Every structure is written in C-alpha cells, then in structure tokens.
Amino acid sequence: MNPLLLAVLLLGLGVGTAHAAKLPAYTLTLNNGTLEPETLHVKAGERFKIELHNTGNTPVEFESTSMRKEKVMGPGVSSFVVVHPLKPGHYDFFDEFHLPDARGTLIAK
C-alpha cells in the first residue's frame, strides 16, 4: 500500500475517533406522571445527553420548549435526547401527557 495513502487513512481514523467521544449523560425516569429526579444539574457550555426511561405503564412525552426537545415513548421504552451546549441558567422540561404535575428543571452552571 502507498505510504501516503496509509497515512491519510490512519489520520482519518484518528479524527473519527475524536468525534465519537462519549457525551456526558444524565438519567431521567418518567413514571405515570412522576419525574425522577425533578431537577437535573449539568455543566453549562457542554453538549450532553439525557437518557430517558419510561418505567410506567402509560405513554410519556418528554418535552422542553426552552431546550427545543421532545420525545414520545411508549410504556417500558428507553431512549435519549442530545442537547446542544447551554448557557448558564434554568431550563424547563415536562411530560406533556401528564401535566400539570410532571414538571422539572434543568440547571446549567
């Protein structure tokens, strides 16, 4: 194999690995109108994911207008949303299917 081609391929593999770095993850459990925890603390200015687990027996809709995210999940389903870096502040989230009680706050510091 051409040494220059090999170097380019190896460099390409290194760049791909850098982009595949693990995102910080925070867990949120939704269960028939309850959110656990009701408050999530994250680092401001850092991309992250929220791992969502519907442990209830009804559908849920994780939604946040301030973070521009929503995800509908059936009973027993797990999923996630990736959130862009946030400025320091408070961001609302809720379970649209279980309002007005199922509300939470994400605090970015």
Side-chain angles (χ1 to χ4, degrees):
M1 176 175 271
N2 180 330
L4 180 58
L5 178 60
L6 180 60
V8 169
L9 288 174
L10 291 175
L11 181 61
L13 288 175
V15 171
T17 304
H19 289 289
K22 284 190 85 170
L23 291 174
Y26 304 90
T27 300
L28 178 65
T29 301
L30 301 94
N31 186 328
N32 299 329
T34 62
L35 305 174
E36 181 62 37
E38 289 182 357
T39 304
L40 290 173
H41 296 271
V42 304
K43 186 175 177 183
E46 181 175 78
R47 194 168 164 250
F48 63 93
K49 72 178 176 177
I50 302 174
E51 296 174 342
L52 304 166
H53 303 281
N54 180 3
T55 58
N57 58 7
T58 61
V60 298
E61 180 179 1
F62 170 84
E63 187 165 345
S64 173
T65 52
S66 58
M67 290 184 282
R68 297 184 180 129
K69 297 291 176 189
E70 66 180 305
K71 177 77 70 165
V72 175
M73 301 184 311
V77 172
S78 292
S79 189
F80 66 91
V81 293
V82 175
V83 181
H84 58 84
L86 299 172
K87 293 180 181 178
H90 291 71
Y91 300 84
D92 67 316
F93 61 86
F94 50 92
D95 175 357
E96 175 91 28
F97 295 163
H98 293 92
L99 289 175
D101 300 324
R103 294 186 172 278
T105 304
L106 183 140
I107 301 171
K109 287 187 177 180

